[in-house]
Every structure is written in C-alpha cells, then in structure tokens.
Amino acid sequence: MIKIFKITAFLEGISLLLLLFFAMPMKYAFDLPIFVRTIGMAHGLLFIGYITIAIMLKMEEKWDVKKFTTICLASVIPFGTFYIEKKYLRSA
C-alpha cells in the first residue's frame, strides 16, 4: 500500500505543479481554459486518491494525528508531496 501511496503522491504533486504553473497561466495569459479543465480533473482525481489512501494508511500504519495531518495538508502546498515522500516515506 505504501508503494501505491508513493506513486499517487508523486503524480498528485506533478499535477498540482502543472495546474499552478502551466494550466493557470495558459488560462489567464492566453485565454485557453481547456488546460485547466483537463489537468484540473486529473489533479482532482489524484487528490481524492491521495487522501483516500492516506486515510487507509493511517489505520494500517497507525500514524499519529500530527503525522496524518501533515501528510494531508502537504497535498495542497506546491512541492508538499515531494517533501512528504522524502521525510516520511523514504524508508518505506
């Protein structure tokens, strides 16, 4: 389950960066909202998967509330999931 979470976290992090640094500028600078729709949908699904797997791992790995909260909050911060992978999931 940790391996699936690491892959999901990586993809979720990439999708957030693409959304913020590619899709949003394309929408507002060049009036091309299609990128926000497509990348935004992928990011939304990956975000739901990330949180769902985090909840499952919280129970399975018996994470404390602080670790679980940190892992969940990192999903909304650019580069946050990469930090989580390095700090909490590297040894897994």
Side-chain angles (χ1 to χ4, degrees), residues 42-55:
H43 170 68
L45 293 172
L46 287 165
F47 175 77
I48 291 168
Y50 178 90
I51 296 298
T52 302
I53 297 170
I55 291 168

Side-chain angles (χ1 to χ4, degrees), residues 20-40:
L20 293 177
F21 299 113
F22 174 72
M24 296 299 284
M26 293 300 285
K27 178 180 179 179
Y28 292 109
F30 301 106
D31 196 29
L32 294 170
I34 187 69
F35 295 109
V36 172
R37 283 188 228 131
T38 54
I39 295 172

Side-chain angles (χ1 to χ4, degrees), residues 2 12 44 56 70:
I2 292 282
E12 199 277 335
M56 291 167 43
T70 303

Side-chain angles (χ1 to χ4, degrees), residues 39-77:
I39 295 172
M41 175 63 78
H43 170 68
L45 293 172
L46 287 165
F47 175 77
I48 291 168
Y50 178 90
I51 296 298
T52 302
I53 297 170
I55 291 168
M56 291 167 43
L57 280 173
K58 179 190 185 311
M59 292 181 259
E60 185 177 297
E61 299 287 323
K62 296 181 180 24
W63 289 344
D64 60 30
V65 173
K66 181 181 177 188
K67 182 175 182 177
F68 175 69
T69 303
T70 303
I71 287 171
C72 288
L73 287 176
S75 67
V76 296
I77 301 169

